[in-house]
Amino acid sequence: MERVQVFAPATVANLGPGFDHLGVAISGLGDALLAEITPTGRVTLASVTGLTDGIPTDPEQNTASLAAKAALRLLGRKEGVNLHLHKGLPIGSGLGGSAASAVAGAWAVCCLFGRENKELAFRAALEAEAAVSGIHADNVAPCTFGGMVLVNEDPSHWERLPVPRRLRLVLALPSLKVITRHARQILPERVPLSASMANSARLATMVAAAYRGSVRDFAAAIKDEIVEPVRAHLIPGFYHVKEKALEAGALACSISGAGPAIFAVADDELIAQRVACSMKEAFAAFGCNAVAFVTRVDRRGVRVVSPKWRDRKTFAGPQLLKQVHGENRERIERGNAL
Ligand code: HSE
């Protein structure tokens, strides 16, 4: 294959007590990447389009090209690749944007050379993600394999968990940026034993509930007293938005990845829509423009898509995000300075 286009979905990492170990891929949003083989032996980034604000165009800093390079090395190929990246996920959104680009870069290379090996793509993408936002696999794993994925401290040990049929995720994304690297620097090095044990028990409960297919028990365990309280101040109105989501019927609510996106859990479509409206309004009460939408779990992870795919309705998500990010540039820039 000389040319391929792939799509890598957005992800929600941590899911409360699963910091750095649990993540889920979500439908409707993600990054697309068109890649072609070149004889040069180099990885070039010919264009970056879509939600480009703050996205590095230097191939040594962009996770798509870094992962493509790592995949070429792992495959032992001497050729190069030229990449056209279409960002559907803004930088610093908490929706796994850098991971999506990395996974797309790695998977495109695997497909170009007829080696559709997701384990290899996972390793290459992890390497690229670690270079820009620290070592954590809870975005890269679900983005690669799809569904909900639990990753061990050795990321080569990962496990796909069953997704309860009625699970609905509501995402609210304010027009701010939180840079993951910064949001990791503020975390405590030591935590009280009681908090650590409570989080471990909750994570175990979530896994058990996933196997039983119970959204209610799964959501009831989404409480995090280690990371959420430390990062809450990075998101204006976080506790207010959470309170309004719960009042509107959400079963749980916490920060998506490093934020500023906030996710809520519901087991009913209508309630989920109501929660989305409440979260958007709650952000507005803090003078913060936000988009909120209901989504489901993407079970496929990264995949090849047709070259015309960008024009289809399924890629409407980025237009929605562009609205909010286009309108509130000043806040975004303030967020950048975190
Ligand atoms: N687990 C990571 C963190 C996810 O919370 O820092 C970042 O998207």
Side-chain angles (χ1 to χ4, degrees):
M1 203 185 289
E2 290 294 303
R3 209 165 196 244
V4 71
Q5 179 161 246
V6 301
F7 170 76
T11 45
V12 174
N14 300 340
L15 289 166
F19 177 71
D20 275 3
H21 293 288
L22 184 63
V24 68
I26 59 168
S27 296
L29 291 176
D31 286 356
L33 183 79
L34 186 72
E36 56 215 355
I37 300 180
T38 62
T40 60
R42 286 187 302 127
V43 175
T44 46
L45 192 52
S47 65
V48 182
T49 52
L51 300 172
T52 56
D53 190 21
I55 304 288
T57 50
D58 174 356
E60 291 305 317
Q61 287 179 29
N62 188 294
T63 52
S65 34
L66 287 171
K69 203 167 162 183
L72 284 167
R73 193 191 72 240
L74 292 172
L75 289 172
R77 303 298 308 206
K78 299 273 178 268
E79 297 91 330
V81 287
N82 187 31
L83 308 174
H84 297 264
L85 175 63
H86 189 68
K87 288 295 298 176
L89 297 170
I91 196 169
S93 62
L95 294 172
S98 60
S101 294
V103 171
W107 190 236
V109 166
C110 290
C111 296
L112 280 174
F113 293 99
R115 295 273 302 276
E116 285 92 343
N117 177 342
K118 282 210 167 176
E119 290 283 356
L120 186 140
F122 179 47
R123 285 213 306 278
L126 264 186
E127 203 179 302
E129 171 82 326
V132 300
S133 53
I135 299 168
H136 60 95
D138 51 345
N139 294 110
V140 171
C143 183
T144 307
F145 303 113
M148 182 153 63
V149 183
L150 181 70
V151 198
N152 212 317
E153 73 261 39
D154 169 1
S156 62
H157 292 162
W158 56 270
E159 192 79 45
R160 262 187 99 181
L161 302 179
V163 176
R165 197 175 47 82
R166 295 176 64 87
L167 180 70
R168 297 288 182 280
L169 292 168
V170 184
L171 266 305
L173 177 64
S175 52
L176 295 167
K177 279 181 185 169
V178 170
I179 301 304
T180 302
R181 214 173 341 103
H182 300 165
R184 293 177 80 78
Q185 281 162 0
I186 61 171
L187 297 177
E189 281 188 11
R190 291 172 183 274
V191 297
L193 183 62
S194 58
S196 161
M197 290 175 68
N199 265 23
S200 307
R202 289 176 192 133
L203 182 56
T205 303
M206 287 171 77
V207 173
Y211 275 95
R212 272 189 287 108
S214 169
V215 179
R216 286 189 173 258
D217 292 349
F218 179 80
I222 298 183
K223 291 190 191 91
D224 164 34
E225 51 194 278
I226 297 177
V227 177
E228 183 186 291
V230 180
R231 286 180 170 170
H233 75 277
L234 300 177
I235 309 168
F238 170 73
Y239 287 112
H240 178 66
V241 176
K242 179 170 174 165
E243 188 189 325
K244 292 292 169 194
L246 296 173
E247 265 175 37
L251 301 170
C253 180
S254 188
I255 302 173
S256 172
I262 300 178
F263 76 95
V265 176
D267 64 354
D268 175 278
E269 184 69 28
L270 282 179
I271 294 177
Q273 295 291 351
R274 200 168 69 204
V275 170
C277 290
S278 291
M279 291 171 86
K280 186 175 158 66
E281 279 168 20
F283 264 124
F286 273 75
C288 206
N289 196 17
V291 282
F293 51 93
V294 180
T295 182
R296 292 196 188 198
V297 174
D298 175 303
R299 291 166 194 268
R300 294 164 64 196
V302 67
R303 62 239 184 207
V304 171
V305 288
S306 97
K308 290 204 176 134
W309 175 85
R310 275 184 210 176
D311 308 331
R312 291 203 335 236
K313 209 173 146 218
T314 46
F315 209 47
Q319 299 312 324
L320 194 74
L321 295 183
K322 197 163 193 166
Q323 254 177 15
V324 69
H325 282 271
E327 279 167 13
N328 223 335
R329 175 169 289 271
E330 201 189 304
R331 265 184 173 279
I332 291 172
E333 278 161 8
R334 236 186 295 148
N336 246 341
L338 275 172

